[in-house]
Amino acid sequence: MVLKVYADRLSQPSRSVLLFCKVIGIDFEEIQVEVLKNQRFSPEYKAINPMSQVPAIVDGHLKLFESHAILIYLSCSFPGVANNWYPSDVSKRAKIHSVLDWHHSNLHRGSVGLILNTIMAPKGFPSSPQAAKEAEKILMKSLNKLETFWLKDGSFLVGSSKPSIADISLVCDIMQLQLLSDKDFDRILSPYKKVVEWIQDTISATAPHFHEVHGLLFKAQKRIRGQMATQTVSALSKI
C-alpha cells in the first residue's frame, strides 16, 4: 500500500514532511487536511491523529503523527535515503535529535507565536500585541542561536556539509515568516547572515521541490501583503 501523508501546505511541519518525501523520491498520496476549515477535528482524521494536528501518515498498519517522528521514520524505512539526511552514526543522529528537540521549544514557538498573534489570529480571537512582542523575542533569540551555535561549524546544521532532516524542518518553519510584511521579514532576518545563507543553501539542495511545496504559502503571502498595502493606502487617505 502506498504511503498516505495527511497535510496542509500552510502548515510548516506538513511542508517539511512533503518536501522530504519529494526530495527522496518516496511514492506517496497527499491527502489535504485544511486547518483553517477545522478539518483536523473531523472524526475520520481524529481516528488517524487523536491530537488533531497535521501532518500525519499512514503506512500500512502504522499511523504516525508529529513531524519529527515522521521524518525519522521515513529516513529509516524507505530505501535510497542518503546518509546525510539521518546518519547511521549514532553520535551524529544524537546531534540531529538535539536540534529537533530544541526546535519546537524555541524557533517554532517564536515563529508560530508571532504569526498567530499578528496576521493569522483565529476567527473570533483578537490579535495580541503583547503576545506578538514576546513571541518575537523568542524568535530573535532562536535565530541568534542558529547563527552563533547551530551553524557555527558548517554550511548546514551541527557542522554538516550536507542537509539533514533537521535542516528541512527548521527552514520550513522559518519560511512561515514570509507571511509578514517585506519590512518586518527583512528586519527580523537580515541581521543573521549565516541563517540567510543557510536558507538559500537548503533551498538549492532541495530544488526544484522546495518552491513547489511552498507554492500555497507564497500565494498566501502575495494576498496578505496586498491586503496590507491596501489598508496602508486607505489609512493614509484619511489623514
Side-chain angles (χ1 to χ4, degrees):
M1 295 178 64
V2 68
L3 172 74
K4 294 183 178 181
V5 179
Y6 295 79
D8 183 339
R9 292 193 179 202
L10 286 179
S11 152
Q12 48 272 55
S14 290
R15 292 196 301 272
S16 69
V17 171
L18 293 171
L19 179 58
F20 183 73
C21 287
K22 288 176 177 289
V23 169
I24 300 305
I26 296 173
D27 185 25
F28 71 98
E29 176 187 358
E30 180 181 351
I31 301 172
Q32 189 174 34
V33 180
E34 294 189 53
V35 171
L36 294 179
K37 292 183 179 180
N38 290 324
Q39 292 177 354
R40 59 197 172 100
F41 297 112
S42 70
E44 294 80 11
Y45 185 66
K46 290 183 76 171
I48 296 166
N49 183 359
M51 305 302 171
S52 297
Q53 300 291 335
V54 288
I57 65 170
V58 174
D59 186 27
H61 296 295
L62 174 69
K63 299 175 183 178
L64 186 64
F65 49 90
E66 292 296 335
S67 62
H68 294 167
I70 293 170
L71 289 169
I72 291 169
Y73 170 77
L74 296 177
S75 298
C76 298
S77 302
F78 286 82
V81 180
N83 194 57
N84 59 283
W85 294 110
Y86 190 61
S88 56
D89 182 274
V90 175
S91 62
K92 291 181 179 180
R93 281 189 176 186
K95 288 183 177 181
I96 289 175
H97 286 201
S98 69
V99 179
L100 294 176
D101 288 348
W102 172 85
H103 172 214
H104 267 165
S105 299
N106 295 276
L107 180 66
H108 183 70
R109 181 181 164 206
S111 65
V112 169
L114 180 59
I115 296 298
L116 287 182
N117 287 288
T118 51
I119 59 176
M120 291 190 72
K123 290 183 179 179
F125 293 88
S127 59
S128 170
Q130 182 58 36
K133 185 177 180 180
E134 292 301 317
E136 186 171 323
K137 287 181 180 179
I138 295 171
L139 175 61
M140 300 300 275
K141 184 177 179 180
S142 299
L143 290 171
N144 184 62
K145 288 294 184 184
L146 270 177
E147 182 87 1
T148 61
F149 181 71
W150 296 116
L151 290 169
K152 67 183 177 70
D153 296 323
S155 300
F156 296 98
L157 294 171
V158 295
S160 178
S161 60
K162 294 182 179 180
S164 71
I165 58 173
D167 293 279
I168 281 184
S169 185
L170 271 66
V171 166
C172 286
D173 208 319
I174 291 177
M175 291 303 292
Q176 204 77 355
L177 300 176
Q178 293 275 352
L179 296 177
L180 299 172
S181 66
D182 279 320
K183 181 180 178 181
D184 283 337
F185 182 80
D186 290 340
R187 174 180 60 81
I188 289 171
L189 278 179
S190 61
Y192 305 104
K193 306 302 181 185
K194 285 185 180 179
V195 172
V196 172
E197 185 176 352
W198 161 71
I199 291 171
Q200 293 304 317
D201 288 343
T202 306
I203 291 173
S204 297
T206 56
H209 307 291
F210 190 92
H211 284 90
E212 188 268 315
V213 168
H214 285 80
L216 187 61
L217 178 73
F218 295 143
K219 287 182 180 178
Q221 173 207 59
K222 185 176 181 180
R223 182 178 67 253
I224 290 170
R225 290 186 178 180
Q227 291 171 349
M228 289 179 182
T230 300
Q231 290 169 1
T232 299
V233 171
S234 178
L236 289 173
S237 68
K238 297 177 181 178
I239 296 176

